[in-house]
Amino acid sequence: MQTYFSDLLVIGAGLSGERIAVEAAGAGFGVNVLSIVPARRSHSSAAQGGMQAALGNCAMGKGDCPDVHFADTVKGSDWGADQEVARMFVDNAPIEMRQLAFWGVPWNRVVPGKSTFFKGGEKFEKIEEEDKEGLITARAFGGTAKWRTCYTSDGTGHAVMCTLDNRCAQLGINVFDKKEAIALIHDGANCLGAVVRCLKTGVLEAYVARATAICTGGFGRIYKATTNAVICDGGGHAIAMDTGLVPLGNPEAIQFHPTGIVPTDILVTEGCRGDGGTLLDVNKERFMQIYEPEKAELASRDVVSRRMTEHMRAGKGVKSAYGEHLWLDIRHLGDKHISTKLREVDEICQNFLGVDPRVDLIPVRPTQHYTMSGIRTNKDGAAYGLKGLFSAGEAACWDMHGFNRLGGNSLAETVVAGGIIGKKIAEFLRGHEVSFPTKTIRDALLKQQSRIDALIAGKNGRENVYRVREAMQDALMDGCFVFRNGSDLEKCVNVLQEVMERAKAVGLQSSGIGANPELSAALKIQGQVKLALCIAKAALERKESRGSHTREDFPERNDRDWLKRTLAYWPEGARLPRLEYEDPTPYYELPPGERGYGGGKIITADAEKIAKLTIKPGAKPAEAAKAKTAN
């Protein structure tokens, strides 16, 4: 048994993981980072559009500030966000963007003078100020009052990922690829590290540490139609949930992106619409302005996805061999713009669709994209239930997104949260000591080796893991997609329980030796079905519509009964998750109200309760907390 020790173990080498590692290593701690793939191939690299930060440098961002960004974020979340966390995020985002520039991110910059831009297919003119020349510029994104999305053409994730990976190399951080964590090592109170399978040799190893951070991204691959990479399979969530101690936050909060291309579901960035692209129907006519006169294509993602689905239901979709879709039109943006600021979109269209977006329309439809759900943490990134376990990025429910995140806020969250939580982990490590009993480590390894041996021998059955996974994906697509209702959700839960019994009977068709993808899939399948059941069961119980969670049988946003966050635990031996609930935020800087788009009736919350939780305008979170304690 090979055992590796460090002060901090980071599982996942995407942006949030490496940003935490940089912060901890900069504080003098030893860090090991694990990744299934080479770090620069992490899914963070696929992010195209940009990172939101209220810099206010460009003409269309004039007057922007963290307060405006905060209001956009809370409204975007449909008042599901932790407003204390959202405030921390918006205040730190501008600082982080400048830090990234210092480390080498080549942000697009303000070019002074007159230029044109498109909105709703129409051309407008703007004038950039001379004294802003060379400062970080921004583009428009959905659900924002100002242009604040900092970008590097449409390859922002790739640029920032390469920069942070270079920073890790400069600091001597150990980043190990082809390593997959398959279980946490813990003593029931403290997290001690992880059991890790080497994907080159198949050998199990122990990585022990005084603190562990799970930064493995989302779990979109449990859906059939998703923009997520194949590595976004919920492995990090599953190992946390398997402890029986760590809950998922808001598992029903799943985001669907309006513009996944058909049929591959690869994402084309919201930057297309932010830069002036439009959505067209079967008659090649715009329609979003009919539903959303003010925001049109730049309403929040949950709203645009619903409106597109409604329009297709009304018979305005384009029929194809791969199902109905609509069109995204960026032709009017011109060759220069597409070749520079949307070059990855151009490559995706050319390589995967065989169309030229300069002259052709792009077939798109809503597809699963993001999980606002995740390992539930407090504002310091510390996971509920196990001391020494942290999480950040899409893997976590931190919870600044609530029930819908704004485009550009997630990529920014990776580095902003990574910096904040990295500092908190460093503080934790300065005062935390823990013992590593060899028996606890050995028992954890033996338990996982027994799982592997049973799968290879077919001890529990010979169910094909890929067919079981497909059954799970079909159940979620049928019962828990853009629109949901009670009968479909009940059916989804029942089907998934049957799928779970099949998942328990999975056995390998192959030998399981060495770098074996079937074994990797088989080790994850029960955890994936548990995640699916958490989504479906929590969605069934939440009898309201909020953000991305849209119940056709409960169309109102019900602040009276459902202004709360779901916590989903999976006790050992359970057939369904245990659901608990907590307040979504410790205080309201922005009391619940209208979003300004999306429509819908609101059942209001108890005014007296909200008033007691509402802080005075301009008060800082610490001041507000102190005042409430005094009261």
Side-chain angles (χ1 to χ4, degrees), residues 335-490:
D335 175 65
K336 182 179 178 181
H337 188 103
I338 293 171
S339 298
T340 55
K341 294 184 179 180
L342 297 174
R343 60 193 179 197
E344 285 194 15
V345 171
D346 184 21
E347 291 174 2
I348 288 167
C349 291
Q350 301 271 9
N351 294 334
F352 292 93
L353 295 175
V355 303
D356 182 349
R358 296 163 188 78
V359 295
D360 299 316
L361 299 174
I362 306 168
V364 295
R365 66 182 169 213
T367 185
Q368 193 283 336
H369 177 60
Y370 188 82
T371 51
M372 281 76 69
S373 171
I375 296 165
R376 179 68 185 125
T377 73
N378 65 15
K379 64 182 180 180
D380 296 335
Y384 287 19
L386 270 182
K387 191 174 183 181
L389 180 64
F390 296 80
S391 187
E394 193 176 351
C397 179
W398 189 34
D399 168 29
M400 58 167 279
H401 302 304
F403 277 75
N404 176 70
R405 78 160 173 86
L406 298 183
N409 263 1
S410 64
L411 198 59
E413 182 198 14
T414 60
V415 289
V416 176
I420 292 170
I421 293 167
K423 286 185 177 70
K424 293 298 181 181
I425 291 175
E427 291 176 13
F428 173 82
L429 288 170
R430 289 188 188 102
H432 179 66
E433 295 296 335
V434 67
S435 62
F436 299 97
T438 55
K439 183 178 187 304
T440 301
I441 298 168
R442 185 172 61 253
D443 287 350
L445 278 160
L446 289 174
K447 181 178 180 180
Q448 297 309 311
Q449 188 61 60
S450 295
R451 281 181 68 204
I452 291 170
D453 293 343
L455 288 167
I456 292 172
K459 184 177 178 181
N460 301 315
R462 286 292 181 183
E463 278 277 3
N464 184 297
V465 65
Y466 301 112
R467 289 180 186 147
V468 174
R469 187 170 68 187
E470 186 175 30
M472 170 193 69
Q473 292 171 333
D474 287 341
L476 284 176
M477 293 295 291
D478 292 340
C480 211
F481 207 61
V482 175
F483 285 99
R484 303 163 179 186
N485 63 69
S487 59
D488 286 347
L489 286 168
E490 284 183 7

Side-chain angles (χ1 to χ4, degrees), residues 74 327 333 616:
V74 173
W327 299 113
L333 301 183
K616 294 178 181 179

Side-chain angles (χ1 to χ4, degrees), residues 511-525:
S511 67
I513 296 172
N516 189 294
E518 186 190 17
L519 177 56
S520 291
L523 286 167
K524 290 191 185 84
I525 189 61

Side-chain angles (χ1 to χ4, degrees), residues 18 71 90 103 137 145 205 216 224 231 264 267 284 328 356 370 394 433 512 531 612:
E18 289 208 337
V90 300
W103 285 338
T137 192
E205 302 164 335
T216 49
K224 184 166 287 185
I231 57 174
T264 63
L267 178 72
K284 298 184 180 176
L328 174 64
D356 182 349
Y370 188 82
E394 193 176 351
E433 295 296 335
L531 287 170
K612 287 179 180 178

Side-chain angles (χ1 to χ4, degrees), residues 74 81-82 88 166 220 254 309 456 487 542 621:
V74 173
D82 184 324
M88 290 166 56
N166 286 343
I254 305 297
T309 303
I456 292 172
S487 59
R542 182 172 287 272

Side-chain angles (χ1 to χ4, degrees), residues 112-352:
K114 191 180 294 185
S115 60
T116 59
F117 68 96
F118 285 88
K119 182 178 179 181
E122 295 183 45
K123 184 182 284 189
F124 297 87
E125 194 173 84
K126 61 183 175 71
I127 299 175
E128 300 289 353
E129 298 174 7
E130 294 286 340
D131 63 349
K132 304 288 182 157
E133 182 177 8
L135 298 180
I136 300 170
T137 192
R139 64 176 17 141
F141 253 47
T144 63
K146 302 285 185 179
W147 289 22
R148 76 166 66 90
T149 307
C150 310
Y151 63 100
T152 61
S153 296
D154 61 344
T156 309
H158 179 72
V160 180
M161 189 72 249
C162 288
T163 300
L164 267 182
D165 200 43
N166 286 343
R167 187 67 181 156
C168 285
Q170 288 174 331
L171 293 172
I173 295 168
N174 299 313
V175 181
F176 301 99
D177 60 31
K178 306 296 174 60
K179 304 286 186 180
E180 183 172 41
I182 61 173
L184 290 178
I185 302 171
H186 67 94
D187 60 9
N190 298 284
C191 185
L192 306 175
V195 177
V196 176
R197 181 170 169 265
C198 176
L199 297 182
K200 297 175 184 176
T201 64
V203 173
L204 295 186
E205 302 164 335
Y207 280 78
V208 297
R210 293 192 291 137
T212 301
I214 296 178
C215 304
T216 49
F219 49 81
R221 276 285 157 178
I222 69 173
Y223 278 85
K224 184 166 287 185
T226 179
T227 66
N228 286 195
V230 294
I231 57 174
C232 301
D233 55 17
H237 302 85
I239 63 175
M241 194 164 52
D242 277 349
T243 65
L245 303 168
V246 180
L248 291 182
N250 285 341
E252 66 269 44
I254 305 297
Q255 183 172 84
F256 304 95
H257 198 290
T259 54
I261 64 172
V262 179
T264 63
D265 294 300
I266 295 171
L267 178 72
V268 289
T269 175
E270 188 163 312
C272 290
R273 287 173 288 125
D275 289 1
T278 56
L279 291 167
L280 308 180
D281 61 19
V282 66
N283 301 318
K284 298 184 180 176
E285 296 175 345
R286 283 188 69 213
F287 59 89
M288 274 305 301
Q289 78 283 2
I290 300 170
Y291 300 104
E292 300 294 334
E294 183 180 344
K295 291 285 189 181
E297 281 88 356
L298 289 180
S300 62
R301 289 176 177 176
D302 61 315
V303 172
V304 178
S305 293
R306 283 198 296 276
R307 299 308 194 192
M308 289 173 69
T309 303
E310 288 168 359
H311 206 62
M312 287 188 283
R313 284 178 170 183
K316 297 298 181 71
V318 181
K319 308 291 185 185
S320 82
Y322 306 103
E324 284 190 86
H325 64 79
L326 295 162
W327 299 113
L328 174 64
D329 185 7
I330 62 172
R331 297 173 297 180
H332 50 283
L333 301 183
D335 175 65
K336 182 179 178 181
H337 188 103
I338 293 171
S339 298
T340 55
K341 294 184 179 180
L342 297 174
R343 60 193 179 197
E344 285 194 15
V345 171
D346 184 21
E347 291 174 2
I348 288 167
C349 291
Q350 301 271 9
N351 294 334
F352 292 93

